[in-house]
């Protein structure tokens, strides 16, 4: 049996801090793609097994790592929620950000860096800054990564923590695929063509959705990574039961989640014309889509451990 201990937290957080600081809302994932590619090229020869790296071309801003003879794929989305600047500093949401008066926003346009504050006037969202911002510029929450006791707090733990987990799994992965995807927060789209390309090229049809869920009535912070039995979509029960049985065998702390709303990259896999199985597995966070998302360090550790275990067994 795979034994996992919570006697100490296993991972330094500098890489996660850097991932959370990068401006990459849905539709503008290129800055994070470039960072991840640079990180992979710098570190992959120190990993247990060296992957083949696929990017650009028909994959647009997505990245796919292929290790050995893959039987399963991990999907982690790179994008975040944010805001698009419209006319006279009016804001439209990217995805579903929480909008609260006083939130600090940042970005860049043709005139340089943008440092502003979210304002709400008669129900409309605006950014308060010292000039008119270019139309179409994107704004995201200002970086504010910190560790407070057992918690990590930062904007964009959803889903930079999923990306970070996937990179930690890559360090030891022998056989498998890791796909870094785009647009998840604002309707998806990239997983549709990744599903086709991966299935037709590698004949892989098992997947794990490496994303962040929410602390809820039945899912608590600090009690282990959450395995979702369903959200707005319903995955194939036989496959989910297989994942749960493997989790039981692992000795790793986990929780079971059952919800009727929300979705992630698994939705696109289920709607694709290919016979993909999928299961969402992620650490629960508080204050989702705010500048103060928080995740318990024990849940981070168990998330990495369970992904490593499952990718060995599937």
């Amino acid at each position: 049996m795979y034994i996992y201990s919570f006697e100490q937290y296993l991972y330094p957080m500098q890489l996660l801090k850097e991932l959370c600081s990068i401006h990459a809302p849905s539709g503008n994932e290129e800055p994070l793609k470039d960072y991840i590619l640079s990180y992979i090229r710098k570190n992959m020869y120190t990993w247990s097994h060296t992957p083949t790296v696929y990017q650009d071309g028909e994959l647009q801003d997505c990245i796919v790592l292929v290790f050995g003879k893959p039987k399963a794929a991990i999907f982690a989305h790179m994008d975040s929620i944010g805001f698009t600047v419209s006319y006279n500093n009016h804001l439209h949401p990217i995805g579903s950000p929480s909008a609260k008066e006083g939130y600090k926003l940042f970005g860049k346009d043709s005139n340089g860096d943008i440092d502003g504050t979210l304002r709400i006037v008669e129900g409309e969202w605006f950014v308060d800054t010292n000039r008119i911002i270019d139309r179409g510029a994107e704004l995201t929450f200002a970086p504010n990564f910190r560790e407070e006791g057992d918690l990590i707090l930062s904007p964009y733990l959803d889903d930079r923590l999923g990306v970070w987990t996937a990179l930690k799994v890559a360090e030891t992965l022998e056989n498998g695929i890791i796909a870094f995807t785009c647009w998840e927060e604002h309707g998806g789209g990239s997983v549709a063509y990744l599903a086709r390309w991966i299935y037709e090229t590698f004949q892989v049809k098992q997947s794990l959705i490496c994303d962040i869920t929410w602390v809820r009535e039945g899912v608590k912070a600090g009690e282990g990574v959450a395995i979702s039995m369903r959200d707005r979509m319903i995955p194939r029960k036989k496959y989910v039961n297989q994942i749960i049985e493997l989790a039981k065998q692992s000795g790793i702390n986990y929780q079971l989640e059952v919800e009727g709303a929300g979705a992630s990259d698994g939705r696109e896999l289920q709607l694709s014309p290919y016979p993909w199985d999928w299961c969402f597995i992620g650490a629960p966070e508080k204050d989702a889509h705010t500048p103060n998302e928080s995740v318990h360090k024990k849940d981070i550790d168990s998330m990495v451990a369970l992904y490593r275990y499952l990718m060995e067994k599937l």
Side-chain angles (χ1 to χ4, degrees):
M1 176 181 290
Y2 186 98
I3 302 298
Y4 185 72
S5 170
F6 290 110
E7 293 178 0
Q8 61 180 355
Y9 306 127
L10 298 181
Y11 304 106
M13 294 287 106
Q14 182 59 33
L15 174 59
L16 180 59
K17 180 179 180 179
E18 292 176 9
L19 290 169
C20 289
S21 72
I22 297 170
H23 176 87
S26 294
N28 190 14
E29 291 89 350
E30 186 176 16
L32 186 57
K33 177 200 74 171
D34 291 343
Y35 178 90
I36 293 170
L37 283 173
S38 176
Y39 177 86
I40 290 167
R41 288 165 178 158
K42 181 179 178 180
N43 291 278
M44 67 181 183
Y45 297 107
T46 70
W47 296 347
S48 299
H49 304 273
T50 302
T52 301
V53 181
Y54 296 89
Q55 53 93 23
D56 288 338
E58 64 182 34
L59 301 186
Q60 294 183 317
D61 288 321
C62 298
I63 306 168
V64 177
L65 307 182
V66 179
F67 295 79
K69 298 179 180 179
K71 295 183 179 179
I74 292 172
F75 290 86
H77 71 87
M78 295 184 289
D79 63 307
S80 72
I81 53 88
F83 306 85
T84 305
V85 179
S86 179
Y87 317 121
N88 297 315
N89 290 358
H90 183 269
L91 300 177
H92 295 304
I94 299 173
S96 55
S98 172
K100 186 175 181 180
E101 186 89 11
Y103 280 165
K104 298 298 181 182
L105 304 177
F106 89 118
K108 184 178 291 187
D109 68 1
S110 64
N111 294 303
D113 292 339
I114 302 164
D115 184 3
T117 303
L118 180 65
R119 299 298 183 200
I120 303 175
V121 180
E122 297 181 351
E124 298 292 319
W125 300 354
F126 295 87
V127 57
D128 185 5
T129 189
N130 59 1
R131 61 180 175 84
I132 296 297
I133 299 170
D134 290 351
R135 297 178 184 183
E138 306 111 344
L139 302 178
T140 50
F141 295 134
N144 187 19
F145 188 97
R146 62 258 193 221
E147 297 185 49
E148 296 181 3
D150 292 332
L151 299 178
I152 300 292
L153 298 95
S154 178
Y156 304 127
L157 290 174
D158 176 11
D159 186 33
R160 307 301 162 76
L161 182 52
V163 170
W164 178 88
T165 297
L167 290 171
K168 288 299 169 184
V169 173
E171 294 175 355
T172 60
L173 186 60
E174 180 177 3
N175 298 298
I177 292 173
I178 297 176
F180 298 100
T181 71
C182 299
W183 293 317
E184 189 272 349
E185 295 290 2
H186 200 89
S190 68
V191 173
Y193 59 76
L194 290 177
R196 174 194 58 80
W197 183 76
I198 291 172
Y199 180 79
E200 292 182 352
T201 306
F202 303 103
Q203 293 74 56
V204 169
K205 58 182 179 180
Q206 297 182 109
S207 69
L208 303 174
I209 309 303
C210 190
D211 202 346
I212 303 306
T213 189
W214 298 355
V215 171
R216 295 180 172 92
E217 175 187 3
V219 177
K220 309 298 184 183
E223 296 187 10
V225 64
I227 301 173
S228 177
M229 301 184 74
R230 63 154 290 171
D231 47 34
R232 181 158 62 95
M233 308 302 289
I234 298 179
R236 194 165 69 111
K237 191 171 184 63
K238 181 177 180 179
Y239 182 68
V240 174
N241 286 347
Q242 178 188 358
I243 298 299
I244 294 170
E245 183 57 36
L246 288 171
K248 290 177 182 177
Q249 295 171 13
S250 73
I252 299 164
N253 285 9
Y254 70 92
Q255 308 175 68
L256 295 180
E257 177 184 80
V258 178
E259 295 294 334
S264 187
D265 283 339
R267 174 181 180 274
E268 291 189 69
L269 292 175
Q270 186 165 333
L271 295 177
S272 79
Y274 299 91
W276 278 92
D277 277 318
W278 63 277
C279 182
F280 181 112
I281 302 174
E285 72 171 15
K286 293 182 179 179
D287 298 317
H289 292 185
T290 77
N292 299 298
E293 296 178 349
S294 68
V295 179
H296 200 288
K297 293 177 181 177
K298 287 184 177 180
D299 299 332
I300 295 174
D301 286 355
S302 64
M303 184 171 176
V304 176
L306 187 57
Y307 268 92
R308 285 180 169 174
Y309 182 84
L310 291 174
M311 291 301 285
E312 291 176 5
K313 299 299 183 181
L314 285 173

